[in-house]
Amino acid sequence: MPLLTLQFFFKLLIHQYIVLECVAFQSAVSMNEVVDIGVNLTHRAFRKHWRNVVQRAIDAGVTKLVLTGTSIQGSEECLGLCQTWFEETGAKNLYATVGVHPHDAKTWNDEQSNAQMKKMLSHPLAVAVGECGLDFNRNFSTPEDQIHAFREQVKLAVELNMPLFVHEREAHNELVKVLDEAGAGSLPPIVVHCFTGTKVEAMEYIQRGYYIGFTGKICKKERGAPLREMLPSIPLERIMVETDAPFMGFKKGRKSSEPADCIGVARKLAETVDMTFSTVCEKTTTNAVDLFKINDWTKIISNPWCTNMPVALSQKIAIFIE
């Protein structure tokens, strides 16, 4: 992970000061902007031109991207891109999750993985534990390894009080069972991303207070029909939009997706639930900002690196923010 320099933290603090002092949050949310909560920006499809991919997204109205960490190394790479983008542009467009995907659960090591994740999650641009969960469709890791790795990451999220970015395929009952072990009162906010399950499963997640992320699959005529049928039954206050790029492509002429396509997901969502496009953008953006605590300066000032600064310097920063 890149070195967290004093200059980097000052840039973050100054950025937050501007956000807090110049723009109230409700007026800051543009009616036609969205947050893509799931982007695999470290994928080889984007590696050579990731900056262009990000800029196209911003130009299209996708102003915040949450990069998906799926392994220890992958999470570190995501944070590296987030920090590089901020240092080069001075803009907080990129954030990252930190976690071990169920496909990689076999690599989980209780002591080492936990410590590595905890360190990365202290980074001010890390916003959630995940992508973690259960995938009994492919079983690239055994169900036993998946359950263990997921259970440990849930414990970490509870300990750090950080949101959970969850993956689930054909493992609904088992996933809910692991989450129940933590106790409903102890769990942090949860989003089940890239949802492809049934209406019954979706409604159970909603009843439990979880959020659900929908991708470009809702834009597909036949394969997306079951999801579109359930969307009007789900409160918009519990929905987020995402691309899961470069996967879940839906645009004619290409199989892959990119973050800019998240605008298309929001448009289809608006059409399906019979609401205005601007309302869907505003509500889903608010949901994402609230869950991931985007633009929360307290995460920066309470960062372990920041709190270890000389007292005089910490006091000056506190005065500056106030």
Side-chain angles (χ1 to χ4, degrees), residues 11-70:
K11 284 183 179 180
L12 280 172
L13 289 165
I14 291 170
H15 182 277
Q16 290 309 126
Y17 176 77
I18 294 171
V19 170
L20 289 168
E21 291 296 317
C22 298
V23 187
F25 168 67
Q26 289 300 328
S27 62
V29 177
S30 169
M31 290 192 297
N32 295 322
E33 294 180 355
V34 298
V35 177
D36 186 344
I37 69 161
V39 182
N40 298 285
L41 195 61
T42 59
H43 190 276
R44 60 181 177 275
F46 298 138
R47 193 166 294 154
K48 293 182 179 180
H49 60 290
W50 68 270
R51 291 177 179 83
N52 294 336
V53 171
V54 173
Q55 192 58 57
R56 281 198 297 272
I58 295 170
D59 293 343
V62 187
T63 56
K64 307 286 186 187
L65 286 66
V66 180
L67 312 190
T68 307
T70 58

Side-chain angles (χ1 to χ4, degrees), residues 10-157:
F10 265 119
K11 284 183 179 180
L12 280 172
L13 289 165
I14 291 170
H15 182 277
Q16 290 309 126
Y17 176 77
I18 294 171
V19 170
L20 289 168
E21 291 296 317
C22 298
V23 187
F25 168 67
Q26 289 300 328
S27 62
V29 177
S30 169
M31 290 192 297
N32 295 322
E33 294 180 355
V34 298
V35 177
D36 186 344
I37 69 161
V39 182
N40 298 285
L41 195 61
T42 59
H43 190 276
R44 60 181 177 275
F46 298 138
R47 193 166 294 154
K48 293 182 179 180
H49 60 290
W50 68 270
R51 291 177 179 83
N52 294 336
V53 171
V54 173
Q55 192 58 57
R56 281 198 297 272
I58 295 170
D59 293 343
V62 187
T63 56
K64 307 286 186 187
L65 286 66
V66 180
L67 312 190
T68 307
T70 58
S71 65
I72 298 299
Q73 180 179 343
S75 297
E76 189 170 334
E77 291 173 356
C78 285
L79 285 171
L81 294 186
C82 292
Q83 185 169 328
T84 296
W85 178 264
F86 182 80
E87 290 179 339
E88 290 179 355
T89 68
K92 286 177 63 182
N93 302 112
L94 304 185
Y95 300 84
T97 68
V98 174
V100 176
H101 191 284
H103 290 346
D104 290 313
K106 56 182 173 290
T107 68
W108 181 268
N109 175 285
D110 281 352
E111 184 175 349
Q112 187 174 9
S113 299
N114 188 288
Q116 291 171 319
M117 280 186 59
K118 189 175 292 188
K119 181 179 179 180
M120 285 188 281
L121 286 164
S122 71
H123 192 291
L125 296 178
V127 293
V129 174
E131 180 178 2
C132 59
L134 302 175
D135 190 320
F136 292 173
N137 173 267
R138 297 184 179 181
N139 282 323
F140 289 151
S141 292
T142 67
E144 293 75 19
D145 284 344
Q146 292 185 48
I147 290 172
H148 179 71
F150 181 43
R151 181 181 288 121
E152 292 303 308
Q153 291 177 88
V154 170
K155 290 179 182 177
L156 184 59

Side-chain angles (χ1 to χ4, degrees), residues 71-302:
S71 65
I72 298 299
Q73 180 179 343
S75 297
E76 189 170 334
E77 291 173 356
C78 285
L79 285 171
L81 294 186
C82 292
Q83 185 169 328
T84 296
W85 178 264
F86 182 80
E87 290 179 339
E88 290 179 355
T89 68
K92 286 177 63 182
N93 302 112
L94 304 185
Y95 300 84
T97 68
V98 174
V100 176
H101 191 284
H103 290 346
D104 290 313
K106 56 182 173 290
T107 68
W108 181 268
N109 175 285
D110 281 352
E111 184 175 349
Q112 187 174 9
S113 299
N114 188 288
Q116 291 171 319
M117 280 186 59
K118 189 175 292 188
K119 181 179 179 180
M120 285 188 281
L121 286 164
S122 71
H123 192 291
L125 296 178
V127 293
V129 174
E131 180 178 2
C132 59
L134 302 175
D135 190 320
F136 292 173
N137 173 267
R138 297 184 179 181
N139 282 323
F140 289 151
S141 292
T142 67
E144 293 75 19
D145 284 344
Q146 292 185 48
I147 290 172
H148 179 71
F150 181 43
R151 181 181 288 121
E152 292 303 308
Q153 291 177 88
V154 170
K155 290 179 182 177
L156 184 59
V158 170
E159 176 188 343
L160 300 178
N161 191 30
M162 293 191 73
L164 273 164
F165 188 77
V166 172
H167 172 106
E168 182 267 310
R169 289 289 182 279
E170 299 180 16
H172 174 82
N173 292 335
E174 293 82 357
L175 183 129
V176 166
K177 182 179 179 181
V178 173
L179 292 171
D180 282 346
E181 291 174 2
S186 301
L187 285 171
I190 295 170
V191 57
V192 181
H193 107 105
C194 193
F195 183 78
T196 57
T198 67
K199 181 178 179 179
V200 171
E201 293 169 347
M203 296 315 295
E204 181 172 0
Y205 288 143
I206 296 303
Q207 290 167 4
R208 288 169 167 269
Y210 305 167
Y211 294 87
I212 299 179
F214 289 96
T215 68
K217 188 170 182 178
I218 68 171
C219 303
K220 295 187 175 182
K221 185 175 181 180
E222 295 181 2
R223 293 181 62 191
L227 294 176
R228 290 194 300 275
E229 289 174 5
M230 71 176 73
L231 278 173
S233 301
I234 301 174
L236 190 56
E237 289 74 17
R238 288 288 152 186
I239 295 177
M240 298 185 199
V241 290
E242 58 178 317
T243 57
D244 200 27
F247 310 111
M248 297 294 176
F250 62 93
K251 294 283 188 178
K252 290 183 179 180
R254 55 181 165 89
K255 294 182 179 180
S256 63
S257 68
E258 63 174 78
D261 298 338
C262 200
I263 288 291
V265 179
R267 289 192 184 280
K268 178 57 71 172
L269 174 59
E271 174 189 320
T272 304
V273 300
D274 194 24
M275 291 187 182
T276 64
F277 175 60
S278 60
T279 297
V280 165
C281 288
E282 181 180 356
K283 292 291 187 181
T284 58
T285 296
T286 297
N287 295 341
V289 169
D290 287 349
L291 180 129
F292 294 114
K293 295 183 175 63
I294 292 173
N295 289 335
D296 183 1
W297 69 266
T298 60
K299 179 174 174 58
I300 300 171
I301 198 67
S302 63

